[in-house]
Amino acid sequence: MASSQKMPEETLLKVSHIDVFHGSFQALWDVSLTIRPGEIVAIIGANGSGKSTLLDTISGLVHPAKGSIEFEGKDISALEPFHIVDLGISQVPEGRRVFPDLTVLENLIIGSYNRKARSKREQNLQRAYHLFPVLKERKSQLAKTLSGGEQQMLSLGRGLMSDPKLILLDEMSLGLAPILINELYRILREIRDRGITILFVEQNVRRSLTEADRAYIMEVGRVVLSGDVAKLREEERVKKAYFGA
Ligand code: ADP
Ligand code: MG
């Protein structure tokens, strides 16, 4: 896109035709994706299909060999992670990586060290406590004493401390009990209602096609299908592959 041309306002993130390598191994092939402000978008795919690589590339942990990534009309594909966090993208990594020997509060504060978030730390902390009352109750406890579900809440709460416009969630529900997963998705909707756009990665197709507005289905490094979830649920190919119909 010509630099003089403004992005349409309804596009928050635009990933265009990216190829991404891990060493000599190509993990993403010509992947494109668009997210509008206020959407909940899912990336669905089996283990190894490139979902985490896509999130890591948006976050600047890996850089694309080809293609571009624009956030609010600005090309971010060569920027470093700290810069991308400051622009308003926050990634909650797979496997709830909390600092086990720090308290809940200390873990949350770590999420707010970027320049943009520092001045809004107290406000964002209260927001995290409001969304996850259990984190407030346990703010002085070491993170390692929390249950798996509570650690996921802490990980998500920490992601919100950087004051993001867009949050990237990698396999939030992995290994959690269904009742907790329901609760986490309810909170995701509340986060979206507070104005934060959400891109989440899931292996669970049914869940994703219920919780998201739109979804992208990936197979071995490529996007093979995308669209509104209601439409995807009716696709023969999706029914056959994922719903046994
Ligand atoms: P997913 O998150 O969908 O499970 P990943 O993005 O983690 O998939 O991985 C996509 C592919 O890239 C897999 O084949 C994986 O083995 C490979 N891969 C991921 N990270 C690395 C790495 N650091 N070095 C080499 N290959 C990697
Ligand atoms: Mg992954």
Side-chain angles (χ1 to χ4, degrees), residues 17 50-54 60 63-64 73 79-80 83 104 109 155 159 171-174 182 193 197 201 206 217 222 243:
H17 304 290
K51 307 180 299 298
S52 295
T53 300
L54 177 54
H63 297 293
L79 299 183
E80 293 308 312
H83 196 156
V104 167
I109 294 298
S155 196
E171 307 231 19
M172 165 180 90
S173 61
L174 207 64
N182 292 342
D193 292 344
T197 305
V201 156
R206 265 174 210 276
I217 300 181
R222 296 174 196 271
F243 296 96

Side-chain angles (χ1 to χ4, degrees), residues 162-222:
S162 71
D163 202 38
K165 295 172 185 162
L166 171 66
I167 193 153
L168 314 176
L169 292 170
D170 201 344
E171 307 231 19
M172 165 180 90
S173 61
L174 207 64
L176 297 180
I179 191 164
L180 261 170
I181 298 174
N182 292 342
E183 173 66 0
L184 280 165
Y185 276 104
R186 186 193 62 73
I187 294 168
L188 272 201
R189 287 191 292 275
E190 196 177 336
I191 291 171
R192 183 262 292 272
D193 292 344
R194 285 166 171 252
I196 298 173
T197 305
I198 295 167
L199 177 61
F200 74 79
V201 156
E202 263 286 350
Q203 289 190 39
N204 185 324
V205 179
R206 265 174 210 276
R207 171 69 68 172
S208 306
L209 293 183
T210 311
E211 303 287 354
D213 302 315
R214 286 190 305 117
Y216 291 80
I217 300 181
M218 295 186 66
E219 282 173 13
V220 281
R222 296 174 196 271

